[in-house]
């Protein structure tokens, strides 16, 4: 709800330029990069539920800070807080891997991401309407209230998935931390991390400049209210596309193709969508591009996360998801830091670069495809007697 209009909010209320605005994303992902592995391993040792609740509280507080900010440094402080405590997605993924067998893990992670995508359907549109009708502060206050309600629902409805003996064992093995350098000997994990880094580098270029690109190119000449509404509605299309992909297309794809083959397809579609956005000059064509992006994103991320959990022992699932999240954050950190300068040179350059880098991630995806033994799905292998 609030993130899509944050660049416009920072520009209109605090007179920040593009180079500084994109750093709001940089500091968020920098904090997430540092905290991600710690949050994941903490959930392995202390339990998923308390860490999930803590991260949700941090998100609510950060949105309140943005909504009532009186200076730009409060915006940066809030983004750092949200990044440090922003382990809700990591822990939610670990929660799902605890309760799902391996052959159903990718589909379950897809449903988790679809739930997040559902928020993208309503959130950006509501945020755009609130900003256009009641001013730029209200979406952030509204988002903080929604995050607070999420904390209550989590506390009242979810149960801990790790048994006390599991947490005790994981805590006793706390010296056996998941070290990135130690894992570099694992070709499959290195390939997963490579796809995560490269694709998210391209994603960072998009998210850092999309609202600014829309204002300067797609909605040139319109006022703040119309630009906010337009950006919100276009991102609602992304939410609808990603939700539909992970509810309908992903289950169908998993019946025939392996996780690695779907990763390759998702990366190819995401790359194509960014090339289309780079040449877009008006909202309708750009909407087609972002819809295609949503399909590619919906196909790429769930199998990639599932592949990451299959490269380590079960006791390290939270930790490896945290490391993968940090690698993804690192890609976004670097890309958002340079995206402002790229945009200042030419608004379309970040989109061209994003498309090229996302296509580059296909190469390690092919390695994963070979490691998995080709493009046939686990279910199909089992049905045709190809598994051992």
């Amino acid at each position: 709800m609030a993130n899509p209009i944050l660049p416009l909010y920072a520009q209109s209320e605090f007179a920040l330029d593009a180079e500084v605005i994109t750093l709001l994303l940089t500091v968020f992902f920098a904090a997430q990069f540092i905290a991600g592995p710690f949050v994941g391993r903490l959930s392995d040792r202390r339990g998923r539920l308390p860490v999930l609740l803590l991260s949700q509280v941090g998100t609510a507080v950060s949105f309140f800070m943005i909504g009532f900010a009186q200076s730009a440094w409060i915006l940066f402080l809030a983004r750092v807080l949200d990044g440090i405590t922003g382990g809700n997605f990591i822990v939610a993924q670990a929660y799902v891997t605890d309760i799902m067998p391996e052959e159903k893990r990718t589909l379950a992670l897809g449903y988790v991401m679809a739930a997040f995508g559902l928020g993208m359907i309503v959130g950006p549109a509501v945020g755009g309407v609130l900003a256009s009708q009641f001013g730029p502060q209200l979406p952030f206050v509204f988002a903080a209230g929604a995050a607070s309600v999420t904390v209550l629902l989590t506390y009242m409805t979810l149960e801990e998935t790790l048994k006390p003996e599991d947490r005790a064992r994981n805590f006793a093995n706390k010296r056996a931390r998941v070290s990135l350098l130690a894992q570099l000997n694992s070709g499959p994990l290195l390939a997963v991390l490579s796809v995560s880094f490269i694709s998210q580098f391209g994603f960072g270029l998009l998210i850092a400049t999309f609202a600014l690109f829309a204002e300067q190119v797609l909605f040139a000449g319109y006022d703040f209210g119309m630009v906010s509404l337009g950006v919100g509605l276009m991102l609602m299309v992304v939410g609808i596309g990603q939700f539909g992909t992970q509810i309908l297309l992903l289950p169908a794809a998993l019946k025939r193709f392996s996780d690695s083959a779907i990763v390759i397809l998702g990366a190819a579609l995401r790359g194509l969508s960014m090339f289309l956005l780079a040449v877009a000059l008006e909202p309708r064509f750009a909407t087609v591009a972002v819809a295609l992006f949503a399909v590619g994103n919906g196909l790429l991320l769930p199998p990639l996360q599932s592949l990451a959990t299959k490269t380590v022992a079960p006791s390290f699932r939270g930790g490896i998801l945290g490391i993968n999240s940090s690698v993804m954050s690192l890609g976004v950190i670097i890309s958002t830091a340079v995206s402002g300068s790229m945009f200042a040179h030419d608004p379309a350059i970040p989109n061209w670069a994003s498309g090229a880098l996302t296509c580059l991630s296909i190469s390690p995806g092919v390695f994963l495809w070979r490691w998995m033994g080709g493009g046939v799905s686990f279910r199909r292998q089992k049905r045709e007697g190809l598994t051992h």
Side-chain angles (χ1 to χ4, degrees):
M1 177 186 297
N3 286 330
I5 64 171
L6 179 59
L8 301 177
Y9 175 60
Q11 183 181 63
S12 64
E13 297 299 307
F14 300 97
L16 302 182
D17 56 28
E19 288 87 346
V20 178
I21 290 171
T22 54
L23 291 178
L24 286 170
L25 285 172
T26 302
V27 297
F28 169 80
F29 285 103
Q32 198 169 69
F33 168 73
I34 295 171
F38 172 77
V39 169
R41 286 299 290 147
L42 185 65
S43 75
D44 286 333
R45 298 196 299 265
R46 298 293 187 182
R48 311 298 188 203
L49 194 56
V51 178
L52 183 60
L53 288 168
L54 178 63
S55 67
Q56 291 172 338
V57 170
T59 296
V61 171
S62 69
F63 279 134
F64 273 122
M65 291 174 65
I66 294 174
F68 293 104
Q70 298 298 312
S71 60
W73 73 268
I74 296 293
L75 301 183
F76 283 93
L77 182 61
R79 298 306 286 160
V80 170
L81 173 62
D82 197 15
I84 291 174
T85 62
N88 49 355
F89 192 53
I90 298 171
V91 181
Q93 290 174 322
Y95 192 101
V96 168
T97 62
D98 290 339
I99 61 178
M100 285 293 174
E102 182 174 318
E103 64 271 17
K104 296 182 180 180
R105 193 174 298 162
T106 302
L107 185 59
L109 288 171
Y111 287 146
V112 170
M113 293 183 182
F116 278 82
L118 187 61
M120 282 290 292
I121 295 174
V122 180
V126 173
V129 170
L130 291 176
S132 63
Q133 298 297 317
F134 303 103
Q137 290 88 0
L138 189 59
F140 300 98
V141 178
F142 196 94
S148 300
V149 172
T150 302
V151 174
L152 294 176
L153 290 175
T154 299
Y155 179 77
M156 294 172 61
T157 62
L158 294 186
E159 297 181 357
E160 179 58 55
T161 59
L162 291 181
K163 299 178 181 178
E165 55 268 28
D166 294 329
R167 299 197 296 271
R169 182 178 62 252
N170 293 342
F171 186 82
N173 293 333
K174 62 182 179 180
R175 292 187 177 181
R177 299 179 187 274
V178 181
S179 168
L180 181 58
L181 292 178
Q183 295 295 328
L184 289 181
N185 292 326
S186 170
L189 178 57
L190 183 58
V192 169
L193 297 179
S194 297
V195 175
S196 296
F197 176 81
I198 298 171
S199 62
Q200 289 306 102
F201 192 103
F203 180 66
L205 293 175
L206 168 66
I207 61 174
T209 61
F210 179 73
L212 301 175
F213 178 78
E215 180 196 40
Q216 189 163 327
V217 178
L218 302 179
F219 297 97
Y222 289 90
D223 60 17
F224 173 84
M226 287 300 299
V227 175
S228 297
L229 181 60
V231 170
L233 291 175
M234 290 181 70
L235 291 178
M236 183 181 71
V237 171
V238 175
I240 293 173
Q242 185 164 316
F243 179 79
T245 297
Q246 291 166 340
I247 293 296
L248 300 175
L249 296 184
L250 182 61
L254 287 169
K255 293 178 180 179
R256 296 190 58 84
F257 303 109
S258 66
D259 287 348
S260 53
I262 299 174
V263 165
I264 294 172
L265 176 60
L269 292 176
R270 258 183 55 166
L272 175 61
S273 71
M274 294 310 304
F275 291 140
L276 293 177
L277 185 61
V279 299
L281 297 177
E282 50 89 23
R284 287 174 296 181
F285 189 82
T287 300
V288 174
V290 298
L292 183 61
F293 175 88
V295 174
N297 210 45
L299 291 174
L300 172 65
L301 294 181
L304 191 62
Q305 301 285 358
S306 180
L307 285 169
T309 65
K310 295 173 183 177
T311 62
V312 296
S315 60
F316 289 131
R317 285 174 186 160
I320 202 60
L321 286 170
I323 282 183
N324 189 57
S325 175
S326 286
V327 169
M328 296 171 75
S329 296
L330 180 61
V332 179
I333 290 167
I334 300 174
S335 60
T336 53
V338 302
S339 61
S341 298
M342 296 170 67
F343 180 87
H345 184 73
D346 187 322
I349 287 180
N351 297 331
W352 285 114
S354 176
L357 289 168
T358 304
C359 289
L360 183 62
S361 69
I362 293 175
S363 180
V366 171
F367 173 86
L368 288 169
W369 180 77
R370 292 175 177 173
W371 173 63
M372 293 284 291
V376 181
S377 72
F378 180 89
R379 293 181 182 179
R380 186 175 173 187
Q381 289 182 27
K382 189 173 182 180
R383 184 171 64 249
E384 297 177 3
L386 300 177
T387 57
H388 299 288

